[in-house]
Amino acid sequence: MLKPRELIKLFAAKHPVIYDNVKDVAFSLAVVAAIMLILYVYAGTWPPMVSVIGVSMHPNMEDGDLVFIQGLARGAIQTYSNSTSTGYKSFNDYGDVIVYRPYGDPSSEWVIHRAVRWVEKGQVMYTDSLGDHVAPASGYITLGDNNNGIYDQKTPICYDQPVREEWILGVARLKLPYLGYLRHII
């Protein structure tokens, strides 16, 4: 009986074109798997990147940007309100940009907005003509850089709900222009 290595050599001799194509595909899949593993190790979360769709983060993130993220286990979120005193900036403004699912709903699209401040349960999230809106749970008040000061908590994105940590995929760390279109298509 022939050993597997001998069978492969015999097949390669009889069908060199098929053998070369299978070898190329196998190599390509190995490279893709290695890249995915490296991205996962870097990010500590899956998916390790998201696409920006829309203009809510303009001018600091554009429609079609591919954004690499890191999970919360890689470090604490720096809010806008805390960062103004430390000078920490991310994507040309104070505080971190986070990626989260509104209401923790797995069927909803990811939202990528800046963490403005942290509120504890029972604290005022914002005040409007209806009065004080109190946080029903602890979490982040978030805002798109291009949303003219209208917090996500004042809109259908995440109405009257601070963004809880368990809803957060990660913190945006790096962006590549236009590659988000490719990811979105795929």
Side-chain angles (χ1 to χ4, degrees), residues 129-148:
S129 61
L130 300 174
D132 291 341
H133 292 254
V134 176
S138 298
Y140 293 96
I141 303 302
T142 52
L143 173 70
D145 290 351
N146 193 32
N147 288 355
N148 300 318

Side-chain angles (χ1 to χ4, degrees), residues 115-164:
V116 177
R117 61 189 170 88
W118 174 266
V119 293
E120 295 292 338
K121 180 179 180 179
Q123 285 184 320
V124 174
M125 294 185 295
Y126 64 93
T127 302
D128 62 11
S129 61
L130 300 174
D132 291 341
H133 292 254
V134 176
S138 298
Y140 293 96
I141 303 302
T142 52
L143 173 70
D145 290 351
N146 193 32
N147 288 355
N148 300 318
I150 301 172
Y151 301 121
D152 295 351
Q153 288 66 35
K154 288 183 175 184
T155 71
I157 293 173
C158 214
Y159 186 73
D160 269 354
Q161 295 289 322
V163 176
R164 294 167 178 79

Side-chain angles (χ1 to χ4, degrees), residues 43-141:
T45 190
W46 195 262
M49 59 189 119
V50 295
S51 305
V52 175
I53 305 300
V55 296
S56 66
M57 287 299 292
H58 183 79
N60 300 315
M61 290 182 178
E62 303 286 340
D63 188 24
D65 285 350
L66 181 68
V67 178
F68 291 86
I69 57 177
Q70 283 188 315
L72 297 184
R74 301 285 194 248
I77 294 172
Q78 302 296 317
T79 64
Y80 181 95
S81 60
N82 289 343
S83 297
T84 55
S85 62
T86 64
Y88 171 79
K89 287 189 173 184
S90 173
F91 297 98
N92 303 315
D93 205 350
Y94 294 106
D96 280 326
V97 175
I98 61 173
V99 178
Y100 71 94
R101 288 217 195 258
Y103 308 105
D105 179 2
S107 66
S108 65
E109 294 289 325
W110 294 110
V111 172
I112 183 164
H113 282 170
R114 196 167 301 278
V116 177
R117 61 189 170 88
W118 174 266
V119 293
E120 295 292 338
K121 180 179 180 179
Q123 285 184 320
V124 174
M125 294 185 295
Y126 64 93
T127 302
D128 62 11
S129 61
L130 300 174
D132 291 341
H133 292 254
V134 176
S138 298
Y140 293 96
I141 303 302

